[in-house]
């Protein structure tokens, strides 16, 4: 019987395991360093910000679910090395016992690692990342402590903005830092981030943009951070300046992308045909870019896991590629985006134009009505849609961004979108939907 070993059993590894176990009778061995399975870190800010009742719902499966399907599950076991010629994985348990597993196919699902700022004083206590469940527990306890008053969040990306909101909801003084001059610069244009920055400031979060941390000071625990512009008293620092792929085990054996991610094809196969890579440790194919890139998202982890698992199970499945669709909701202000913003398109050398609309969602006579901002980004020559960004106080916009994701995948042009049949009912939208209106107004 063919045997597959999966290293790392968070979202990507679990999706791959399910796909193999559900579609074949292969032997599957799952190896995971942590004790827990399937921690949805995306719910951390909701949990530590006390918007949901506790952490329990943030785990969606457990080892028993996989053992019931016939998998051998090794938790609290760390893979130390892989013999790619002999096809053997070498691991060590928490008790120090050496473990070996041979394989026919190997799935690398080792995820990502938060980037560590190389700043003096980084070894001090009360400086943390926010990725693992244990880090969430630690932050939750720190928030509970009344002596912990001042929180510095470094990086105003997705994790940083969400953690800033969570800390504020726990009545802390929050200082949010970013190297660039605004929040969420990787996902949205200024037209959107200006609103989010106002939202953050209106809720009492101190914004320190364009301000790099140079040093952490303190005796045992961090007490101050020093930037180019000043010195601030802090009791807790949360570092959130991005992820790097965790390529430790195979970086010397496999072909890598520019940032070190395992380079994979549309079947999730690496440069070694018996080795697949999925989730945050691997590249993705971007339909907006029409090329390979790196986007660390749980949604990508799940889909890439399924693709690898199906292929290993014997069903040749090709990934349709991704758009990097994402969303954020802070103090009731929702923003969603897919593909590229105008700024990020420039970084990837895409020549684009854009069309904007600011409108109410429904006809004016409707009582409950939210305003909506929409920007559609399209390629100058081909006119295919390569991105969209939306913001509103209604979460309905999330459904619209899904349509833009499909439009990018299917290479729909801005002109085709203008005449797209979008229904009208006052409860939902206007006779001329804002999407049609924006597309028709395109240059
Ligand atoms: C706070 C936070 C909020 C987020 N919110 C969202 C969101 O709202 N939406 C979204 O799409 N994405 C979100 N993300 C990103 C998302 O969590 C990641 O993209 C996703 O976890 C990637 O899944 P993965 O399985 O590829 O990797 P990981 O989740 O990194 O899991 C990798 C696993 O491999 C194990 N492992 C690594 N090396 C070894 C080894 N040598 N031996 C054994 N085991 C090993 C690790 O212990 C880990 O369990 C968020 C991330 C964070 C941190
Ligand atoms: N809602 C969602 O979909 C969420 C997704 N995620 C994903 O998890 C991954 C990691 O998230 P983040 O760490 O927030 O990365 P990020 O890429 O979203 O943001 C990192 C931020 O740090 C800033 N930065 C970089 N170096 C810096 C430095 N030295 N000093 C100060 N600022 C610096 C960048 O300008 C950027 O704004 C991302 O891929 C993200 O998309 C995370 C949370 C929520």
């Amino acid at each position: 019987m063919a045997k597959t070993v999966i290293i790392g059993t968070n979202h990507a590894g679990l999706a791959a395991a399910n796909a193999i176990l559900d579609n074949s009778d292969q032997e599957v061995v799952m190896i995971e360093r942590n004790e827990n399975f399937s921690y949805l870190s995306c719910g951390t800010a909701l949990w530590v910000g006390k918007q949901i009742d506790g952490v329990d719902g943030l785990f969606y499966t457990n080892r028993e679910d996989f053992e019931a399907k016939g998998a051998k599950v090794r938790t609290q076991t760390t893979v130390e090395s892989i013999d790619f010629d002999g096809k053997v994985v070498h691991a060590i348990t928490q008790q120090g016992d050496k473990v070996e597993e041979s394989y026919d196919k190997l799935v690398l699902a080792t995820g990502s690692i938060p980037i560590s700022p190389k700043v003096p004083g980084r070894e001090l206590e009360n400086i943390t990342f926010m990725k693992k469940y244990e880090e969430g527990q630690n932050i939750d306890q720190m928030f509970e402590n009344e002596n912990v008053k001042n929180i510095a969040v470094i990086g105003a990306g997705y994790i940083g903005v969400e953690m800033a909101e969570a800390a504020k909801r726990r009545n802390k003084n929050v200082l949010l830092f970013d190297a660039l001059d605004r929040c969420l610069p990787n996902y949205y244009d200024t037209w959107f981030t200006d609103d989010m920055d106002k939202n953050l400031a209106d809720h009492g979060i101190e914004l320190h943009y364009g301000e790099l941390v140079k040093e952490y000071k303190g005796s045992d625990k961090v007490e101050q951070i020093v930037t180019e512009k000043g010195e601030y008293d802090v009791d807790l620092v949360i570092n959130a300046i991005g992820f790097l792929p965790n390529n430790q085990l195979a970086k010397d054996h496999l072909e890598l992308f520019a940032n070190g991610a395992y380079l994979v094809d549309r079947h999730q196969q690496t440069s070694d045909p018996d080795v697949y890579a999925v989730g945050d440790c691997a590249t993705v194919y971007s339909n907006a870019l029409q090329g390979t890139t790196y986007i660390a998202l749980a949604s990508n982890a799940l889909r890439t896991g399924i693709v690898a698992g199906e292929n290993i199970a014997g069903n040749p499945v090709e990934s349709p590629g991704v758009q990097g669709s994402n969303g954020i909701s802070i103090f009731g202000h929702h923003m969603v985006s897919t593909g590229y913003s105008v700024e990020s398109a420039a970084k990837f050398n895409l020549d684009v134009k854009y069309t904007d609309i600011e409108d109410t969602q429904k006809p004016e006579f409707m009582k409950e009505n939210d305003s909506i901002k929409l920007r559609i980004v399209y390629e100058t020559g081909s006119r295919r849609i390569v991105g969209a960004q939306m913001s509103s106080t209604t979460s309905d916009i999330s459904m619209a961004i899904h349509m833009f994701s499909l439009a990018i995948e299917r290479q729909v042009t801005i002109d085709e979108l203008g005449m797209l049949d979008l229904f009208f009912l006052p409860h939902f939208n206007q006779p001329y939907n804002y999407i049609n209106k924006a597309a028709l107004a395109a240059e």
Side-chain angles (χ1 to χ4, degrees), residues 99-115:
V99 173
E100 275 185 14
E101 291 285 356
S102 64
Y103 66 83
D104 297 300
K105 300 286 178 205
L106 181 66
V107 179
L108 297 170
T110 49
S112 51
I113 305 175
I115 298 172

Side-chain angles (χ1 to χ4, degrees), residues 154-160 162 177-180 184-187 212 240-243 296-297 326-328:
I154 318 294
Y158 263 144
I159 295 178
E162 289 181 352
F177 293 83
D178 201 282
L180 300 185
L184 305 169
N186 297 336
Y187 311 93
L212 276 176
I241 61 167
F243 286 175
L297 283 173
N326 58 78
I328 188 160

